[in-house]
Amino acid sequence: MEQSEERRWRTPRPCDVYWSEFKHCKSLWNNFHHYYSHGTSPSCEQWKLDYYNCKEWEKHRDPQAKEALRTSERNRVAEQRKFTPVWKLRQDPPKDWHMPLNQEKPQDS
């Protein structure tokens, strides 16, 4: 059963996507943007490693490459989910939501 599961499992993305992400990560524009936003250069090696693991899985069905790729994708998704929202979500609408906006007077911020 595991053999057939191994054959049916597809990579989460085509291998070329990992390579495209690696090239984008290494681009001058992305380096500039990442340095401006975060103060450091981006780490792109994971995209390259994922590309090689993807190719290894497609060519040789290496179970270690498959597991490394799965782990990397899970970590990537977990990293995206750990950020807190920028705005506090409201539970109820404001009490005066139906009133017209006062366009002349600036709101307090």
Side-chain angles (χ1 to χ4, degrees):
M1 179 76 177
E2 190 170 318
Q3 183 74 5
S4 62
E5 181 186 327
E6 292 274 330
R7 292 190 186 284
R8 283 190 309 222
W9 189 78
R10 301 261 189 255
T11 57
R13 314 167 191 228
C15 294
D16 292 342
V17 173
Y18 292 110
W19 189 249
S20 294
E21 288 286 352
F22 174 70
K23 288 192 324 187
H24 167 73
C25 185
K26 286 297 211 181
S27 71
L28 181 62
W29 170 250
N30 187 57
N31 271 292
F32 175 74
H33 175 75
H34 196 278
Y35 189 80
Y36 180 79
S37 300
H38 305 284
T40 60
S41 294
S43 174
C44 304
E45 291 307 308
Q46 189 61 48
W47 287 114
K48 190 175 186 179
L49 183 61
D50 289 347
Y51 171 74
Y52 289 129
N53 283 330
C54 184
K55 284 297 189 183
E56 190 66 27
W57 167 251
E58 284 187 348
K59 287 181 185 175
H60 305 292
R61 299 289 185 212
D62 182 14
Q64 291 176 338
K66 176 180 106 171
E67 195 53 42
L69 200 54
R70 280 183 170 177
T71 302
S72 176
E73 284 293 328
R74 285 185 186 124
N75 291 343
R76 193 172 287 119
V77 169
E79 183 72 25
Q80 290 172 347
R81 288 183 181 170
K82 81 175 191 179
F83 294 106
T84 56
V86 175
W87 295 280
K88 182 180 176 188
L89 299 177
R90 288 190 269 200
Q91 300 300 320
D92 298 314
K95 292 178 180 157
D96 60 349
W97 68 270
H98 61 284
M99 302 294 290
L101 294 176
N102 186 356
Q103 300 292 335
E104 298 169 6
K105 191 168 98 175
Q107 291 184 353
D108 295 335
S109 45

